[in-house]
Amino acid sequence: MRGFGPGDSFLADCPARLAVELIADKWTVVVLAGLSKGPVRHGELIELIGGISRKVLTQTLRRLKAHGLVRRHAYAEAPPRVEYELTPLGATLIDPIHILTEWARANGDAVLDALDADSEPVAHHG
Amino acid sequence: MRGFGPGDSFLADCPARLAVELIADKWTVVVLAGLSKGPVRHGELIELIGGISRKVLTQTLRRLKAHGLVRRHAYAEAPPRVEYELTPLGATLIDPIHILTEWARANGDAVLDALDADSEPVAHHG
DNA sequence: CAGATTAGGTTTCCGATAGGAACCAGCAGG
DNA sequence: CCTGCTGGTTCCTATCGGAAACCTAATCTG
C-alpha cells in the first residue's frame, strides 16, 4: 500500500482537487476512453458508449472542452457532422484512465462478488 | 496516444463498466485517497477531505463497503468510535488512483487556464 | 440527578442534476 | 412540400448532494 504521504493530501483546496472532481464524473471517464482512438462523431459516441443520453453526452463534451481536454470540430455540411477529439492535454489523461480501466477489467468480478455477498446477509447458519 | 484498441472498448456491458461507474463518483476517489494511509475515523475523514457532508460521506463509505473496497469497524465505546480501512481489494485501487491524482497535480493549472480562456471568449482583438 | 459535550448517523428540506422523450434547425432527395 | 439524417435543446420527473437539526449513548461538570 503506497499511500499518499503527509503533504500529499490534495484533500484541501489545491487545483488537483478540482481536476479530480472534473474527471470523477459518471460519464467522463467513459467518454474520454471513447475518444482515445481519435476523432469520433457525436452519434458514434452515443452508440459506442451505450446508455448515455444525447443531452448528457453533449454536456460532458462541453465541460471537457471548457477544461481544455477536448476539441470540437463542426463541419459545415449537410447533414451536419461534428467530431470531437482529445487535445494534447486531454491525451495525457489516456494513460491514467487506461490504468484505471485495466483495474476495473481485472477486478470487476471481485466487486460483483462482494456486492453479491453483501446483499445476502441472510445468515442461514444451519 | 495509446488508445484502448478495438477489443478494448469496455463501453458495453462488461463488469469493468460497472466498476468504473462505481469509482467515477464525485467523492469516491477522494475518500479512497483519504483511506490510503490506513484506518481512519469518520470525523477524521470529514476534516481531512473538507467539503463533504456527513450524509454523503456515510453513503459513500457504505457503497464502498458493499462493493468490498472498504471495511467498517465500530468499537463499542463511548463516545462511539468507527474506523474505516481499505480491504485488500480496495488497496489495489490506490496505485491507479495515485496515478490519477498525480496527473491532477501536474495538470490542474493547465485545466484552470483552459477554463479561464474558455470563459472569456471576448475577442478584443484590437 | 440535570445539563453540556462528543461522535456517528439519520432525517428533513431545498436546489441542482441526470435521464427519457419529444421537439428544433438545416439541408438533400423524391 | 414532405421526409430523413444529425446534432442539439427543451420539458418533466426522479434522484442526489448539501446544510442543518435531531437522535443515541456515555462521559464529564456541577
Side-chain angles (χ1 to χ4, degrees), chain A residues 57-117:
Chain A
L57 176 59
T58 300
Q59 286 174 348
T60 304
L61 289 168
R62 292 283 154 85
R63 175 168 44 237
L64 291 174
K65 175 172 177 290
H67 287 79
L69 303 180
V70 162
R71 187 174 298 129
R72 193 186 110 112
H73 194 34
Y75 296 87
E77 300 174 0
R81 183 161 62 100
V82 180
E83 281 186 347
Y84 294 90
E85 65 177 335
L86 294 175
T87 62
L89 177 60
T92 64
L93 246 177
I94 291 304
D95 271 354
I97 287 182
H98 190 96
I99 291 172
L100 206 61
T101 55
E102 273 306 311
W103 178 91
R105 189 189 318 281
N107 298 282
D109 287 332
V111 170
L112 285 180
D113 285 353
L115 203 55
D116 222 44

Side-chain angles (χ1 to χ4, degrees), chain A residues 1-98:
Chain A
M1 182 174 333
R2 300 175 49 169
F4 290 80
D8 258 356
S9 333
F10 88 88
L11 299 173
D13 40 30
C14 56
R17 174 70 170 272
L18 184 143
V20 165
E21 291 188 9
L22 157 68
I23 55 185
D25 178 72
K26 179 177 179 182
W27 292 110
T28 302
V29 172
V30 187
V31 169
L32 287 174
L35 292 172
S36 64
K37 284 174 267 179
V40 190
R41 299 180 61 172
H42 181 96
E44 283 179 309
L45 279 173
I46 291 285
E47 295 191 9
L48 183 63
I49 293 177
I52 193 174
S53 70
R54 280 187 293 217
K55 188 186 72 167
V56 177
L57 176 59
T58 300
Q59 286 174 348
T60 304
L61 289 168
R62 292 283 154 85
R63 175 168 44 237
L64 291 174
K65 175 172 177 290
H67 287 79
L69 303 180
V70 162
R71 187 174 298 129
R72 193 186 110 112
H73 194 34
Y75 296 87
E77 300 174 0
R81 183 161 62 100
V82 180
E83 281 186 347
Y84 294 90
E85 65 177 335
L86 294 175
T87 62
L89 177 60
T92 64
L93 246 177
I94 291 304
D95 271 354
I97 287 182
H98 190 96

Side-chain angles (χ1 to χ4, degrees), chain B residues 27-89:
Chain B
W27 292 110
T28 303
V29 172
V30 188
V31 170
L32 287 174
L35 292 172
S36 65
K37 284 173 265 178
V40 190
R41 300 180 60 172
H42 180 96
E44 284 179 310
L45 279 173
I46 291 285
E47 295 191 8
L48 182 64
I49 293 176
I52 193 173
S53 70
R54 282 187 293 210
K55 187 184 72 168
V56 176
L57 176 60
T58 300
Q59 287 174 348
T60 303
L61 289 168
R62 292 283 153 86
R63 174 169 44 236
L64 291 174
K65 176 173 177 289
H67 286 80
L69 303 180
V70 161
R71 187 174 298 130
R72 192 186 112 111
H73 194 36
Y75 297 86
E77 300 174 359
R81 184 160 63 98
V82 181
E83 282 186 349
Y84 294 91
E85 65 177 335
L86 294 175
T87 62
L89 177 60

